[in-house]
Amino acid sequence: MRLKDKVALVTGGGSGIGHATAVLFAAQGAKVVVSDLNEANALETVAEIKAAEGDATALTGDVSINVDAEAMVKGTVETYGGLDAVVNCAGVIADKALPKGASPEAVWDRVMEVNLKGTYLVTWHAVRTMEESGGGSIINIASINGLVGYPIGLGGGFDAYVPSKGGVVQFTKNLAIDYGKKNIRVNCICPGHIDTNLIREFLDNPERREWLEQRYPMGRVGRPEEIAYAALFLASDESSFVTGAPLIVDGGYTAQ
Ligand SMILES: NC(=O)c1ccc[n+]([C@@H]2O[C@H](COP(=O)([O-])OP(=O)(O)OC[C@H]3O[C@@H](n4cnc5c(N)ncnc54)[C@H](O)[C@@H]3O)[C@@H](O)[C@H]2O)c1
């Protein structure tokens, strides 16, 4: 049990990487608050954890809204008496951020709001709690696109996803420097393409999937569990001297 007696908040816990992380954390002994914009999906993750005799609670909210972000953190502390780890996993890509027909500017704003501002808001409230309790671990799910460009999304080079994830990487480093002496570790994970609903349409197209997989030295995209295990390391005391790090989990993509 690598997270015995720890309390974790996982945003975006209703699907994909967040779902896999919440399930793994609970299996490793953590009490987990599964937060998501999609209530039904958050409840499903919680039901799965409880079926495996884990401890979890669902909380619905939008990470880009300050009162929701505050409620996620306060709700976690009220439910489980503390907060040891936060996984900022909620995120969107430009194609899915808003209904079709939205202006490029509105899409830019929404992607930035969820991916970058959402990470900032949840972390803002979490850090205040962790300062009082003597420390904690913040894990931001960035992307390889926070490190290298990828101008093939909606709008090509004008796609907001890449800049939003670059912002998450830099936000991570800034916070790590500022909060190191307070025992709050702040790291991010930079996943390569992972088989989740986020890129389902892309992966369900055999030609596009093959095109993508050929770009990976390992010849495949990743699985949500492969990111969850990286988050587990960063949430556990095994990573006690790791802070400010972008942990790349990408099947070798950025090694090229
Ligand atoms: N799948 C990939 O290829 C990939 C690669 C690199 C990074 N990531 C990042 O990993 C994270 C998780 O992505 P995923 O692939 O699991 O996607 P996903 O779509 O399967 O899950 C994302 C979850 O976030 C929730 N969400 C979206 N906006 C929200 C908001 N405003 N407030 C609260 N919850 C919200 C969604 O409801 C969903 O349950 C994202 O930050 C994504 O950018 C994904």
Side-chain angles (χ1 to χ4, degrees):
M1 289 281 184
R2 293 163 67 186
L3 298 181
K4 194 172 180 304
D5 298 329
K6 290 203 190 284
V7 177
L9 166 63
V10 181
T11 75
S15 176
I17 295 169
H19 165 267
T21 301
V23 169
L24 179 64
F25 278 24
Q28 290 295 329
K31 300 176 178 97
V32 183
V33 169
V34 178
S35 168
D36 205 289
L37 195 55
N38 185 320
E39 184 176 23
N41 286 356
L43 286 168
E44 260 184 45
T45 302
V46 167
E48 187 180 332
I49 290 171
K50 286 188 170 163
E53 301 192 348
D55 197 343
T57 304
L59 235 168
T60 312
D62 184 334
V63 294
S64 72
I65 298 173
N66 190 27
V67 287
D68 284 15
E70 185 175 18
M72 289 171 202
V73 171
K74 281 196 170 155
T76 305
V77 175
E78 277 163 24
T79 308
Y80 291 125
L83 178 61
D84 300 294
V86 174
V87 185
N88 282 306
C89 201
V92 289
I93 53 173
D95 309 49
K96 290 185 168 177
L98 288 174
K100 294 265 175 277
S103 73
E105 185 185 356
V107 172
W108 170 279
D109 284 347
R110 185 60 185 157
V111 172
M112 285 294 180
E113 258 176 30
V114 177
N115 294 0
L116 186 52
K117 185 180 169 189
T119 299
Y120 156 79
L121 288 175
V122 175
T123 303
W124 173 274
H125 296 290
V127 155
R128 262 114 209 106
T129 299
M130 289 174 175
E131 273 184 298
E132 279 173 28
S133 64
S137 174
I138 308 275
I139 300 145
N140 298 324
I141 306 300
S143 169
I144 50 169
N145 299 139
L147 305 171
V148 297
Y150 188 75
I152 69 159
L154 195 72
F158 282 98
D159 189 300
Y161 186 80
V162 171
S164 76
K165 293 300 185 178
V168 170
V169 172
Q170 289 300 85
F171 177 55
T172 300
K173 291 181 182 177
N174 237 19
L175 274 178
I177 295 166
D178 204 19
Y179 284 91
K181 291 206 173 66
K182 293 186 172 164
N183 198 33
I184 301 174
R185 297 184 296 106
V186 191
N187 295 288
C188 63
I189 299 173
C190 296
H193 289 83
I194 306 298
D195 195 337
T196 72
N197 290 333
L198 194 73
I199 54 169
R200 178 66 50 226
E201 289 79 6
F202 195 94
L203 294 179
D204 279 353
N205 178 324
E207 276 171 27
R208 294 176 88 183
R209 186 174 187 125
E210 198 193 337
W211 174 87
L212 186 63
E213 288 183 338
Q214 277 175 0
R215 271 145 190 82
Y216 276 80
M218 292 190 76
R220 66 172 179 87
V221 296
R223 297 184 292 274
E225 301 74 35
E226 292 175 316
I227 306 306
Y229 274 104
L232 174 61
F233 167 67
L234 292 173
S236 77
D237 296 335
E238 297 157 16
S239 58
S240 52
F241 199 49
V242 182
T243 197
L247 175 50
I248 300 171
V249 185
D250 71 348
Y253 185 98
T254 53
Q256 299 169 100

